[in-house]
Amino acid sequence: MKTFDHSGKVIAVTGGSRGIGEAIVRRLCAEGASVFATFNSAPERAEKIASEIREAGGTVTYLQVNVSDEESVKGFIEAVVTQGGRIDALVNNAGITKDGLIMRMSGKDWQDVVDTNLTGVFYACKAAARPMMQQRTGRIVNIGSIVGLQGNAGQVNYSSAKAGLIGLTRSLARELASRNVFVNCVAPGFVETDMTEKLTEEQKASFFSNIPMKRAAGPDEIASVVSFFIAPESSYITGQVLNVDGGLAM
Ligand code: NAP
């Protein structure tokens, strides 16, 4: 499904080997971009996606990156700029959950989730900001979550990281707007991916009962909004959080 035209753009996407990130990579490639995507633990999956995209005429390169390691993230952005010649957009999508009620949550489970979902985004934005400022153009799209707005029992680590991401998005949007670099956040509700596969049928049913649309999103329903934030059609939007949640948070 082609919505926007990203022909000639060089776009970096973290966590492109599964779920929402995979849908973002597939969509942006179909819309003409040259995409540099990351995997962390699933090289065979990334290779399979890459060969399908190439067979369909798209351009994609997968690199192994751990977003919670600053050197790894810096190396990824440098590789994008060196191999792609520029970096038009960065999509910070990689994320993990380690759920548990606070009494049972270890310090490690807190730290791992904050390191991956928030600090990793800081590393990537820091590395991409300089080339984007020099180019005088760029787009950054952060994948948040509605739990960053509403909170969620059993997710103090994840919801804190996603809430922090909103502050990061708004502060960076203010820092970079004068250089024509725009920063926005897409906040999904419930999306059918490996991340939500872990939930019990009972937990899913309770989620759906609160969603006005009474269903989960497909990953491409998030990817299409990401594509909009990279397109010229969103040229007067920065520092925003757009909920893509079937009406859950309003
Ligand atoms: P997913 O299916 O579990 O995929 C997670 C992706 O992140 C994978 O590509 C994984 O790579 C990558 N990743 C994990 N840890 C990493 C690390 N340390 N360094 C680099 N990459 C890492 O998750 P998803 O559901 O698509 O979620 C994608 C984003 O949407 C996340 O930020 C998540 O918080 C957000 N979100 C999801 C939902 C939902 O309902 N699913 C709702 C709201 C927000 P490997 O597979 O190679 O390890």
Side-chain angles (χ1 to χ4, degrees), residues 48-78:
K48 183 173 177 285
I49 299 164
S51 56
E52 286 171 9
I53 289 172
R54 289 188 195 115
E55 267 170 37
T59 307
V60 69
T61 304
Y62 271 91
L63 298 165
Q64 199 276 328
V65 173
N66 175 3
V67 294
S68 60
D69 174 346
E70 185 166 16
E71 286 309 307
S72 178
V73 179
K74 232 174 114 189
F76 171 55
I77 300 297
E78 281 168 7

Side-chain angles (χ1 to χ4, degrees), residues 143-161:
I143 306 299
S145 167
I146 52 131
V147 308
L149 296 162
Q150 295 191 313
N152 196 22
Q155 290 195 313
V156 290
N157 49 2
Y158 182 74
S159 59
S160 300

Side-chain angles (χ1 to χ4, degrees), residues 60-128:
V60 69
T61 304
Y62 271 91
L63 298 165
Q64 199 276 328
V65 173
N66 175 3
V67 294
S68 60
D69 174 346
E70 185 166 16
E71 286 309 307
S72 178
V73 179
K74 232 174 114 189
F76 171 55
I77 300 297
E78 281 168 7
V80 174
V81 175
T82 308
Q83 293 175 37
R86 50 188 294 110
I87 177 166
D88 295 293
L90 164 68
V91 182
N92 287 303
N93 164 80
I96 55 166
T97 52
K98 289 196 175 184
D99 298 352
L101 297 173
I102 195 162
M103 301 303 282
R104 280 190 233 126
M105 186 177 287
S106 67
K108 185 173 186 313
D109 286 351
W110 166 273
Q111 202 60 53
D112 285 351
V113 168
V114 171
D115 286 352
T116 304
N117 294 282
L118 181 59
T119 312
V121 177
F122 161 70
Y123 293 150
C125 289
K126 188 177 173 194

Side-chain angles (χ1 to χ4, degrees), residues 132 136-139 176-182 235:
M132 286 183 176
R136 291 284 196 276
T137 176
R139 300 289 177 94
L176 301 182
S178 64
R179 308 296 180 99
N180 208 31
V181 178
F182 309 142
S235 58

